[in-house]
Amino acid sequence: MKLIKPRVTISPFEYGTDIEVIGRLRETLAYHNINQNDINHLRKAHHLLQSIHPSIEETFYQNLLAITPVGAQPIERAIIENYLHLFFDEPRGENYFRKTSEFFSLLRSKHFEAGKTTAFFNKFIFYITAQLMKLEGSKMSKSFDMVQSLQSAGNFDQQLLTEVMSEKTMEQVITEISSLIDSNAKIMYMKDLIYSLDRQSEEIHTTSAATEEITAAIIEVSRSSSRITEKTTDSVKYAAHSKQTIEQALEEIFKTEERFKSIVQTFSSLQQRVDAIENVAGLINDIAAQTNLLALNASIEAARAGEHGKGFSVVAQEVRKLAENTVAALSDISDNVHHLKSYSNDVSTSIEETTIILKKATSEAQTSLPLITAIVKEMEDINTDIANTAEISKQQAVAIDKVANRMVGITDLQNNIRSLGENTSSSIYELSREIDRFRLSIVKDSNVQLSSIALLQLSKADHILWKWKIYNMFLGLEEVFPGDVAAHTECRLGKWYFDPKTVERLGHLREFKELDKHHETVHIYAKKAAEHYQSGSVRLAEEDLHQIEKASAEVLSLLNSLIGFLNKEGQ
């Protein structure tokens, strides 16, 4: 019995596709020579494979579970079933490409190893092929088309898996490099440090000059305080001596008051005696008047007596003369007593006024004595304070002199810091250039198709580096000419932004709409900063840099939002 060999026509490598797609997807389909008939063969194969046990979904799940990284959550069965439905039943169009890429991106996000995952797919395709051959048996020639379509579809997905894995790896590398550039660029504020050190050096020079002036002033204050101390010491001595003199004078005043009181009492007795003399003179005057009257009566009686009364008449006349002389003498005495009394009254009035003045003066003297004591005490305290001030001034002069010496040391230290800052800035600048060269070489030397996220990360890095260039221009590390700054539509971000596919995909987002104006602002002020710096208008260039920073912060924030959206969308 002869074995019947199936007749199978094996064609050489063929390329091309009749599926209506464009761009990268068409190239991939054409390379694997996938046509519409292949989709029909896959659907037929899927129908045949429904009879095997365990099911292809269970086999795929269990073997994928075996290579799931430690700690990663297993892929859900529903997701696997959806992928296998796509693989066998979905036309190879944009929808298939997008959804399959999402599945492979999920594998990448769970850190499936690329080599093991590719081997897994190979084994799975081989397993399905073997199952089909087993199911068809002698109908090998009829099942060959299904096997060939299955291999082409498997190769297509493996290429897509490799590309997604590579794209994600490249995306991660670019993201990390962009993050490194961002972190490196944060040290761009070294310019501000150097500028601040320059301003601080100027302030220190000014402060040093001021401390020298303060030291001189304090020394002069110390000298003046010493001179004042000497003067106040003498003044305290004089005040103490004056106090003693005043105390002695007050004691004399108090004694005078006592003596004056005695005089007042004595003068009061004198006035009483004068009054008594006046009374006695009046009494004598009355007696003399009575005597004169008796003498007159005696003379009259003697005249009546005639001869017998002549002797008595002589006596009466003598008595009368005596009385008249007494009256005359008493008149003089009365006048003197009257004058004496008037004088004593005046003296009494003066004594009373003097007494009032003495009492007031004594009272004020008693009050002034504590004041004089307090004044002397205050002068002693002032003398002590001035002496302390002089001593403190000397100590301050020494302290400020130390400060001045420290200022000199700080100036030297700042100069060293500035030098280190410049060297650090130069080293960071060289490091950033090396990072940028590494970044560009990775993109240039790899044939990996860049994802939108990778393009945005590259755009972020481009954006940060341009701002970095402007910063380094101020440090003299980079020379930027206005002509070096291209229009915002010509840079990597601009080309991506105005690409029709990008507009179609993201044009509805608020972040996308706002991005253009801030991106344009960065380019406008970067050009202005270069123009102003080249013309020597550093202050205006600094203002331009401030505008760049504001707009740049908006650009980076919007780019991060768009990257977040793309991550959620799954590319």
Side-chain angles (χ1 to χ4, degrees):
M1 181 177 179
K2 287 187 176 181
L3 293 175
I4 301 174
K5 294 183 180 180
R7 294 181 180 180
V8 178
T9 303
I10 301 176
S11 302
F13 288 102
E14 294 182 0
Y15 302 97
T17 182
D18 59 0
I19 299 174
E20 296 297 327
V21 289
I22 59 174
R24 175 186 174 189
L25 178 56
R26 182 175 181 82
E27 292 176 2
T28 307
L29 289 171
Y31 178 76
H32 294 286
N33 195 29
I34 296 177
N35 295 289
Q36 199 63 47
N37 285 333
D38 293 305
I39 309 304
N40 297 328
H41 294 152
L42 288 172
R43 288 172 180 167
K44 183 179 179 181
H46 193 202
H47 178 73
L48 291 171
L49 291 168
Q50 294 299 316
S51 62
I52 68 172
H53 183 79
S55 67
I56 57 172
E57 289 82 7
E58 181 66 22
T59 302
F60 191 100
Y61 175 79
Q62 292 297 335
N63 285 277
L64 186 63
L65 185 63
I67 64 169
T68 300
V70 177
Q73 289 293 327
I75 305 296
E76 297 176 9
R77 291 177 183 269
I79 295 175
I80 291 173
E81 290 173 1
N82 185 58
Y83 165 70
L84 292 175
H85 168 72
L86 288 171
F87 181 81
F88 285 105
D89 302 321
E90 184 74 18
R92 273 16 181 206
E94 293 287 348
N95 186 59
Y96 179 86
F97 182 80
R98 181 174 60 83
K99 290 185 176 180
T100 305
S101 296
E102 289 176 3
F103 176 70
F104 293 153
S105 295
L106 178 62
L107 297 179
R108 177 68 180 84
S109 68
K110 291 182 177 294
H111 306 290
F112 276 79
E113 189 178 326
K116 284 185 178 179
T117 308
T118 303
F120 161 77
F121 272 92
N122 274 325
K123 287 183 176 182
F124 181 71
I125 296 298
F126 178 80
Y127 170 76
I128 295 174
T129 301
Q131 289 293 335
L132 284 173
M133 293 174 66
K134 179 180 178 182
L135 289 170
E136 288 297 294
S138 60
K139 301 176 183 178
M140 187 63 184
S141 59
K142 295 181 179 180
S143 64
F144 182 77
D145 290 337
M146 286 188 294
V147 172
Q148 188 177 35
S149 296
L150 182 63
Q151 288 295 329
S152 296
N155 290 337
F156 175 87
D157 275 24
Q158 287 184 61
Q159 179 182 341
L160 186 57
L161 170 65
T162 303
E163 288 177 353
V164 168
M165 291 286 190
S166 300
E167 285 176 9
K168 287 296 181 181
T169 302
M170 179 63 71
E171 180 183 305
Q172 186 175 2
V173 170
I174 292 173
T175 300
E176 293 299 326
I177 292 175
S178 296
S179 177
L180 178 60
I181 290 173
D182 189 19
S183 300
N184 190 58
K186 287 178 182 176
I187 314 176
M188 66 178 65
Y189 297 104
M190 191 68 70
K191 170 189 77 69
D192 298 328
L193 172 63
I194 291 173
Y195 280 17
S196 297
L197 287 173
D198 289 340
R199 287 192 295 270
Q200 194 171 3
S201 294
E202 294 175 2
E203 292 293 332
I204 289 174
H205 287 309
T206 304
T207 304
S208 296
T211 52
E212 290 176 1
E213 293 176 1
I214 291 172
T215 302
I218 289 176
I219 291 172
E220 185 58 33
V221 168
S222 178
R223 290 173 181 169
S224 299
S225 298
S226 298
R227 290 194 295 270
I228 293 171
T229 301
E230 294 174 1
K231 296 292 184 182
T232 52
T233 300
D234 294 338
S235 297
V236 169
K237 291 179 180 178
Y238 296 149
H241 180 70
S242 299
K243 178 187 174 186
Q244 292 175 356
T245 304
I246 291 170
E247 286 177 344
Q248 292 174 359
L250 288 175
E251 289 179 4
E252 292 298 326
I253 289 173
F254 297 150
K255 290 179 182 179
T256 301
E257 183 187 16
E258 295 296 326
R259 291 171 186 167
F260 198 76
K261 285 180 180 179
S262 176
I263 291 171
V264 169
Q265 292 174 357
T266 303
F267 191 77
S268 178
S269 298
L270 176 62
Q271 281 185 314
Q272 292 175 0
R273 297 293 176 89
V274 170
D275 290 339
I277 291 170
E278 186 179 23
N279 292 332
V280 172
L283 179 61
I284 293 172
N285 188 51
D286 291 339
I287 293 172
Q290 292 292 327
T291 301
N292 187 36
L293 182 59
L294 289 174
L296 180 59
N297 289 331
S299 296
I300 293 172
E301 291 297 327
R304 287 179 179 176
E307 286 295 328
H308 294 288
K310 287 182 179 179
F312 185 73
S313 175
V314 172
V315 173
Q317 287 178 357
E318 291 297 328
V319 171
R320 184 180 179 182
K321 288 180 182 178
L322 178 62
E324 290 175 350
N325 291 333
T326 302
V327 170
L330 284 172
S331 177
D332 292 336
I333 291 170
S334 295
D335 290 339
N336 291 331
V337 170
H338 178 74
H339 289 306
L340 178 61
K341 188 173 182 180
S342 176
Y343 175 74
S344 68
N345 288 335
D346 292 339
V347 172
S348 177
T349 302
S350 297
I351 287 172
E352 289 177 358
E353 292 176 354
T354 302
T355 300
I356 292 171
I357 292 171
L358 274 173
K359 286 181 178 179
K360 184 178 180 181
T362 302
S363 176
E364 291 178 351
Q366 289 174 339
T367 305
S368 65
L369 185 59
L371 293 176
I372 293 170
T373 303
I375 288 170
V376 173
K377 180 65 170 60
E378 288 295 329
M379 291 185 71
E380 290 174 347
D381 292 343
I382 290 170
N383 183 51
T384 301
D385 291 342
I386 293 174
N388 291 337
T389 301
E391 183 61 29
I392 291 170
S393 298
K394 291 178 182 178
Q395 294 174 1
Q396 286 181 336
V398 173
I400 291 177
D401 188 53
K402 291 181 179 178
V403 170
N405 292 331
R406 291 283 181 86
M407 285 292 185
V408 174
I410 291 172
T411 301
D412 294 338
L413 180 61
Q414 280 198 321
N415 290 333
N416 292 335
I417 292 173
R418 191 187 191 286
S419 177
L420 290 172
E422 289 178 343
N423 293 336
T424 302
S425 296
S426 179
S427 299
I428 292 170
Y429 172 69
E430 291 300 326
L431 175 61
S432 68
R433 294 186 66 178
E434 289 299 323
I435 293 172
D436 190 37
R437 278 194 290 269
F438 175 63
R439 174 183 72 110
L440 296 177
S441 67
I442 286 178
V443 176
K444 181 180 178 182
D445 296 341
S446 68
N447 293 321
V448 177
Q449 183 78 19
L450 296 180
S451 64
S452 294
I453 291 177
L455 284 170
L456 285 180
Q457 292 290 0
L458 282 173
S459 298
K460 275 180 61 179
D462 290 341
H463 181 78
I464 293 167
L465 284 170
W466 253 108
K467 188 171 69 170
W468 181 230
K469 282 177 178 287
I470 299 299
Y471 267 95
N472 286 317
M473 177 183 73
F474 284 93
L475 292 174
L477 298 173
E478 184 102 31
E479 192 169 12
V480 180
F481 297 99
D484 296 337
V485 185
H488 78 291
T489 57
E490 298 300 319
C491 69
R492 191 194 309 270
L493 179 58
K495 290 177 180 178
W496 172 86
Y497 184 87
F498 290 102
D499 186 276
K501 289 184 178 180
T502 304
V503 176
E504 181 182 359
R505 185 177 184 185
L506 302 173
H508 64 287
L509 298 174
R510 176 190 61 81
E511 292 85 352
F512 183 82
K513 294 175 182 177
E514 291 184 5
L515 178 61
D516 185 54
K517 64 179 180 181
H518 297 297
H519 181 209
E520 184 179 16
T521 299
V522 171
H523 280 255
I524 289 171
Y525 280 99
K527 193 178 189 71
K528 284 185 177 182
E531 290 172 350
H532 286 141
Y533 191 83
Q534 289 296 326
S535 64
S537 303
V538 178
R539 184 183 62 81
L540 293 176
E542 287 275 2
E543 293 176 2
D544 295 331
L545 181 58
H546 179 65
Q547 294 297 327
I548 292 172
E549 288 175 344
K550 287 174 59 179
S552 175
E554 293 292 337
V555 169
L556 293 177
S557 175
L558 293 170
L559 287 178
N560 286 332
S561 296
L562 291 174
I563 290 171
F565 173 80
L566 292 172
N567 275 323
K568 288 181 180 179
E569 193 186 53
Q571 297 292 311

